[in-house]
Amino acid sequence: MVNTRLNITLPTHIADDIKALYGQLGLSQFLEDAADEKLSEIKNRAHLKLIEGYMATVEETVDVLKKFESAFMEKPDV
């Protein structure tokens, strides 16, 4: 995995709490895990909103598809 070095600023009490729990070397891993978790949460919420949008129009979509189906299933008058 390719890494990018960042210079970030955190409130001192947050940095101190993380260092106390995970040590100086664990700080980067903690921030990586926290960012990954937050990004997953945001992506999941966006995915759920897409599903809600599709579900809100499902009946209308089915009605339209039924109209197309009957148009294609009819035999032409030739």
Side-chain angles (χ1 to χ4, degrees), residues 23-34:
Q24 180 67 33
L25 298 178
L27 180 61
S28 291
Q29 187 63 51
F30 176 86
L31 293 174
E32 179 183 340
D33 292 345

Side-chain angles (χ1 to χ4, degrees), residues 66-75:
K66 284 181 182 177
K67 290 176 185 175
F68 277 108
E69 180 183 47
S70 64
F72 285 110
M73 299 305 286
E74 292 177 4
K75 297 197 183 232

Side-chain angles (χ1 to χ4, degrees), residues 9-77:
T9 303
L10 293 173
T12 302
H13 72 278
I14 292 175
D16 289 345
D17 286 349
I18 295 169
K19 288 176 191 175
L21 292 169
Y22 297 95
Q24 180 67 33
L25 298 178
L27 180 61
S28 291
Q29 187 63 51
F30 176 86
L31 293 174
E32 179 183 340
D33 292 345
D36 189 46
E37 185 177 320
K38 186 65 175 180
L39 286 170
S40 292
E41 178 186 317
I42 291 168
K43 289 176 184 179
N44 285 338
R45 258 190 273 133
H47 180 87
L48 290 174
K49 286 186 181 204
L50 282 175
I51 291 172
E52 286 175 15
Y54 290 130
M55 295 304 290
T57 62
V58 72
E59 289 180 23
E60 181 181 334
T61 302
V62 169
D63 290 342
V64 170
L65 290 173
K66 284 181 182 177
K67 290 176 185 175
F68 277 108
E69 180 183 47
S70 64
F72 285 110
M73 299 305 286
E74 292 177 4
K75 297 197 183 232
D77 295 334

